[in-house]
Amino acid sequence: MTDKLVIALAQMTQSVGDLAANADAMLAWRDKAVGADLIVYPELQLIGYPPEDLVLKPALVERANQELDRLAQATADGGPAMLVGTVVAAHGVLFNVVALLEGGAVTQIRQKRELPNYGTFDEKRLFAPGPLPAPIDFRGVRIGVPICEDIWFPFVTAHLKAEGAEILISPNGSPYEVDKDDRRQTMVAGTRVRETGLPLVYLNRVGGQDELVFDGASFVMNADFGIAQQLPDWEEALVLTQWEKWDGQWVCLPGDCHVPDERPADIYNAMVLGLRDYVNRNRFPGVVLGLSGGIDSALSAAVAVDALGADRVWCVMMPSRFTSQDSLDDAVECARLLGVRYDTIPIEPAVGAFDTMLSDVFSERQRDLTEENIQSRIRGVTLMALSNKFGHMLLTTGNKSEMSVGYATIYGDMAGGYSVLKDAYKTTVFDLSRWRNENVPSLGEGFGPTGPVMPQRVITKPPSAELRDNQRDDDSLPPYEILDPILYGLVEEELSVEQLVARGFERDTVARIERLLYVAEYKRRQSPPGVKLGSRNFGRDRRYPITNAFRTL
């Protein structure tokens, strides 16, 4: 029986589906964990998370078994044992598991019991729930391994405690959400530690995977609720935690405790990491976007530069006769501050061509939203032409407030491959822009400028699409300081009109916004993916029918 243990925590990124590369990376990190008895990796690290329907391919499961054997054989060298997340098939179903590899073999396997099936998660579609797991016996120490969702409920950890577990190690694939750090530590880990009286290791991954961003922020909580180790957020890290048994209780000795980002720095870094990994892993040379002189495109361009570097960001101003001189000047200054390539492509020749093409058919109708949308679609076609010709991914710039109420043009400003603002309300866009003008994000160091990224006027001037003379967003929408709380209530909290009226909002305004929200569902269904920031992003979290007659008023 040992009374000392060294457990290495590998807070890593991943490449979904690239099993050989993931295995190679795990072995490389094991080589660095000199002196460790055991190295632990995040949930499903061998295949990547979330794998979605990729795990339904028998060829992937077969390859996962081959790579797991390769990892196991590596442990014959006498170095650290490995606790590896993977998928296994048995009795005609799939299981999300962790496997203990030591002495050149797979010695023990434990299956995930609680399968999340809400929000971004679809695990009941893919996996079968395992039985209540027994602890893993490792060098005389009984280690409970609740996998991710297993620690969000009391059943698995209570069973592990009853079966003699002495330490809880929880491999996770937990996506970032605003304010989730506190929920993980206080509501989840703290509750399980209080119930079991056992120390708990919470190991999470980092990196972007389509709409999801994993923020890391792994930690070790002792039985007295003290945080013995706090790993950084957003960055890979390898930490060798030192454990000793005092009076029959395992204790993790104190180590480095990083302070996770506060809002809005965490939101900004989530955008940077999500875009960086999406562009790089899909092998785009860079991004192209329309730079209008407004705040949404200015912030999108700043995030892109912080994520990729100025040399991989191409900004294009596409003025019409409605574009103000302020917008022209502000776009030029944004490009200068960011150091990006900047081109101007006027759209008036194309607008004139469309006017001529449609003049006979439109002759008996007044100019209206149709002509405004044509301008937006011309810009979309122009940017997609650049994307096709040069290979850059088109970055869209619309925010969540606009997407909620349908104030975005399908096949126009919605055209593109990815959006960093998709889950950011307009008021959040203002907060992020003010913050970035005064701060440098930790993930942007060495990529973006150390000073302001946009002129102050971009933040202070009234928002406008500039698709007609003297247009302002608040001509047809409530001010954003009113609109966004209404939308938050309708989307994130699923409140009714009457419940929002009880909060002090005008009934007619709320009812109108609810109607706009529902009728714009068909647009959102065709929008590009974007970084998930909150609990109800448009996409994986919120799945409403397009044809929907329900209203709460």
Side-chain angles (χ1 to χ4, degrees), residues 275-456:
L275 180 63
R276 179 180 294 168
D277 282 353
Y278 190 84
V279 170
N280 289 339
R281 287 173 178 167
N282 287 290
R283 298 180 177 85
F284 290 105
V287 297
V288 60
L289 70 152
L291 192 63
S292 68
I295 193 169
D296 295 323
S297 63
L299 179 61
S300 297
V303 172
V305 170
D306 286 328
L308 305 170
D311 60 329
R312 298 178 66 190
V313 180
W314 184 5
C315 292
V316 183
M317 161 57 89
M318 294 165 287
S320 74
R321 62 188 179 89
F322 302 113
T323 303
S324 68
Q325 188 60 47
D326 284 353
S327 292
L328 293 168
D329 294 342
D330 290 342
V332 169
E333 182 61 8
C334 278
R336 187 192 70 80
L337 291 169
L338 293 170
V340 298
R341 174 178 175 178
Y342 177 80
D343 285 285
T344 299
I345 304 177
I347 66 169
E348 278 305 313
V351 172
F354 270 89
D355 285 344
T356 301
M357 285 168 52
L358 297 169
S359 59
D360 290 343
V361 180
F362 285 2
S363 61
E364 297 181 3
R365 299 292 182 104
Q366 296 294 317
R367 295 182 69 86
D368 57 16
L369 187 62
T370 304
E371 283 76 15
E372 295 182 26
N373 287 340
I374 286 172
Q375 295 173 63
S376 179
R377 290 183 177 120
I378 288 170
R379 291 184 170 116
V381 168
T382 302
L383 291 170
M384 279 305 306
L386 299 177
S387 175
N388 292 160
K389 183 66 71 174
F390 298 97
H392 290 56
M393 185 197 75
L394 175 51
L395 185 66
T396 65
T397 61
N399 60 69
K400 190 171 187 177
S401 302
E402 295 170 348
M403 292 302 303
S404 296
V405 295
Y407 277 51
T409 305
I410 196 166
Y411 322 124
D413 57 331
M414 288 175 59
Y418 201 73
S419 170
V420 295
L421 303 186
K422 183 175 181 177
D423 205 24
Y425 289 108
K426 188 75 167 191
T427 47
T428 302
V429 171
F430 282 108
D431 290 342
L432 290 169
S433 298
R434 285 188 287 264
W435 179 85
R436 180 59 184 90
N437 257 6
E438 299 173 358
N439 300 272
V440 179
S442 58
L443 291 183
E445 293 178 1
F447 287 86
T450 57
V453 295
M454 66 185 74
Q456 187 65 20

Side-chain angles (χ1 to χ4, degrees), residues 50-127:
E52 301 186 75
D53 284 5
L54 199 61
V55 294
L56 301 180
K57 296 186 74 67
L60 181 134
V61 178
E62 180 181 356
R63 192 170 302 174
N65 291 335
Q66 295 169 356
E67 292 296 338
L68 188 67
D69 287 342
R70 180 164 72 95
L71 292 173
Q73 292 166 17
T75 63
D77 64 1
M82 305 171 74
L83 199 59
V84 174
T86 185
V87 58
V88 298
H91 310 296
V93 294
L94 296 173
F95 293 95
N96 179 340
V97 307
V98 291
L100 180 66
L101 317 180
E102 57 179 337
V106 178
T107 60
Q108 299 176 69
I109 289 179
R110 296 294 182 269
Q111 298 158 338
K112 187 174 183 177
R113 170 76 174 184
E114 302 290 345
L115 301 178
N117 211 59
Y118 55 86
T120 64
F121 304 106
D122 285 310
E123 290 200 28
K124 289 183 179 179
R125 171 185 174 89
L126 306 172
F127 302 116

